[in-house]
Amino acid sequence: MEWRVTPGLTDYATALDEMERRAAAVAAGTDRELIWLLEHPPVYTAGTSADSAELIDPRFPVVRAGRGGRYTYHGPGQRIGYLVLNLANRGRDVRCFVHAVEGWVIAALAEMGIAAFRAPGRIGIWTYDHAGTEAKIGAIGVRVRRWTTMHGFSVNLSPDLSHFGGIVPCGIAEFPVTSAKALGAEYALETFDAALALTFGAFLESLTCARENEA
């Protein structure tokens, strides 16, 4: 498996092309699986369930992503994790995969002292802001083709939160978005990457739930 960290800002369309190419190669058995950590310049991405009414102010480029979900924002200060993994070897259970990704991000945030959690009925990673309100700190969006995963997660470390105002993030208007910085935690991308690496083994182990369910 390749663990790749790309410095600077990577154009979203360029990353999408690379991820599609790699996913096809992984599915064909001609390349390794990939964990790819990166940042994007400001962009709104539209999932397969995106509702045009939720695009309030297209101040940044809008790109059709091909993943599940609705509109989301990517930009500097947000850690993106693209996961190109072969689920054919891990139980072929998409729900288990999404649950495992959520758990991985929650565990990594816990290593940084941020208490995050799942919210019933709402995909993503949640925490409490300073007002005690549930707020979204991370988003999950995946696509699976030939049992090979694409896309993955985004976690708000220090993005400009006003940039989320151009959309209804993930179609959820009643809850705000937040970031590690807004919670008073100043963390570099490298710090979060280290937390992800530390908890990665447990993430892979959690994917065995699919195989156990098959037994």
Side-chain angles (χ1 to χ4, degrees), residues 151-208:
H151 302 277
F153 63 80
S154 61
V155 177
N156 301 330
L157 298 178
S158 60
D160 185 338
L161 294 179
S162 71
H163 290 178
F164 285 88
I167 58 172
V168 178
C170 302
I172 303 174
E174 60 269 38
F175 294 97
V177 293
T178 192
S179 66
K181 182 177 181 179
L183 296 174
E186 293 280 357
Y187 289 112
L189 292 170
E190 293 79 8
T191 304
F192 185 60
D193 294 349
L196 287 169
L198 184 65
T199 53
F200 181 64
F203 161 66
L204 287 182
E205 285 293 323
S206 68
L207 291 177
T208 62

Side-chain angles (χ1 to χ4, degrees), residues 70-94:
R70 296 162 92 159
Y71 284 106
T72 193
Y73 164 78
H74 295 318
Q78 185 185 70
R79 177 48 94 208
I80 305 295
Y82 289 140
L83 316 178
V84 184
L85 300 176
N86 186 353
L87 294 188
N89 297 329
R90 297 188 170 89
R92 303 190 183 205
D93 189 325
V94 177

Side-chain angles (χ1 to χ4, degrees), residues 18-53:
E18 166 66 8
M19 184 168 44
E20 293 266 1
R21 183 205 65 77
R22 185 60 167 262
V26 168
T30 59
D31 208 339
R32 294 180 293 164
E33 295 175 305
L34 173 67
I35 305 295
W36 188 11
L37 305 178
L38 66 160
E39 282 180 285
H40 291 307
V43 61
Y44 294 132
T45 71
T48 54
S49 301
D51 182 341
S52 60

